[in-house]
């Protein structure tokens, strides 16, 4: 599995994935070129403190994953910070499998596990990765569990999709010693 930094050439792919029903259900993201540029261009330009990646399996793009330091987005992450008692050096990740035919094959777990190791390698001072998942997305939280994450909390965080009630399960993986 490879993680390559997202480029603007990936924007049509991201728009297609974000518009697919299995991704849109939980990401609820606009797919216009302007919205994709607004929300992903800053990572490419270095004007946002997030790092976005296209996930490739055997050279084929299958998904998307991103990381950031939780406190770099303290205003937006206030509820997560409080629920997880997140330290200043904690990271968070978000992800999806974009290709429907790649789902149900363990790629999500593998992607999370391998990206977690990459995060700890790239961010040597990060003590943990904390991930909020809407409780109604058991495939996502089961992939986290299979990748070695532990459920540490539950609580309300404003949802990405307004059809959700905002109840989230919070997972954490600490850096191995």
């Amino acid at each position: 599995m490879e993680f390559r930094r997202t480029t603007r050439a990936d924007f049509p792919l991201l728009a297609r994935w974000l518009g697919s029903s299995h991704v849109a259900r939980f990401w609820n993201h606009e797919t216009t070129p302007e919205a994709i540029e607004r929300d992903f261009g800053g990572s490419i330009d270095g004007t946002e403190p997030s790092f976005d990646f296209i996930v490739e399996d055997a050279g084929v793009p299958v998904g998307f994953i991103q990381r950031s330091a939780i406190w770099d987005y303290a205003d937006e992450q206030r509820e997560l910070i409080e629920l997880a008692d997140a330290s200043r050096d904690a990271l968070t990740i978000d992800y999806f499998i974009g290709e429907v035919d790649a789902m149900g094959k363990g790629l999500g777990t593998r992607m999370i596990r391998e990206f977690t190791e990459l995060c700890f390698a790239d961010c040597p001072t990060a003590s943990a990765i904390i991930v909020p998942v809407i409780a109604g997305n058991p495939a996502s939280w089961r992939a986290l569990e299979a990748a070695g994450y532990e459920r540490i909390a539950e609580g309300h965080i404003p949802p990405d999709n307004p059809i959700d009630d905002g109840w989230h399960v919070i997972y954490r993986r600490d850096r191995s010693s």
Side-chain angles (χ1 to χ4, degrees), residues 66-82:
Q66 62 187 179
R67 76 162 182 257
S68 64
I70 293 174
W71 280 87
D72 282 348
Y73 293 93
D75 290 341
E76 297 93 342
Q77 300 282 4
R78 182 176 41 86
E79 292 90 349
L80 175 60
I81 290 167
E82 291 172 5

Side-chain angles (χ1 to χ4, degrees), residues 46-116:
T47 58
E48 282 286 329
S50 64
F51 296 84
D52 299 345
F53 299 83
I54 296 297
V55 181
E56 294 183 349
D57 186 43
V60 176
V62 294
F64 174 81
I65 198 162
Q66 62 187 179
R67 76 162 182 257
S68 64
I70 293 174
W71 280 87
D72 282 348
Y73 293 93
D75 290 341
E76 297 93 342
Q77 300 282 4
R78 182 176 41 86
E79 292 90 349
L80 175 60
I81 290 167
E82 291 172 5
L83 282 170
D85 192 25
S87 62
R88 291 245 174 215
D89 64 355
L91 302 174
T92 190
I93 62 173
D94 205 354
Y95 48 84
F96 60 78
I97 298 292
E99 297 297 333
V100 173
D101 62 351
M103 295 174 59
K105 299 178 179 178
L107 287 177
T109 297
R110 201 168 117 222
M111 176 175 76
I112 293 166
R113 183 181 300 120
E114 291 181 24
F115 192 68
T116 296

Side-chain angles (χ1 to χ4, degrees), residues 161-176:
N161 192 329
I163 69 169
D164 291 314
D165 64 5
W167 194 254
H168 282 72
V169 290
I170 314 300
Y171 283 84
R172 177 184 178 118
R173 173 121 174 245
D174 291 319
R175 176 184 293 279
S176 301

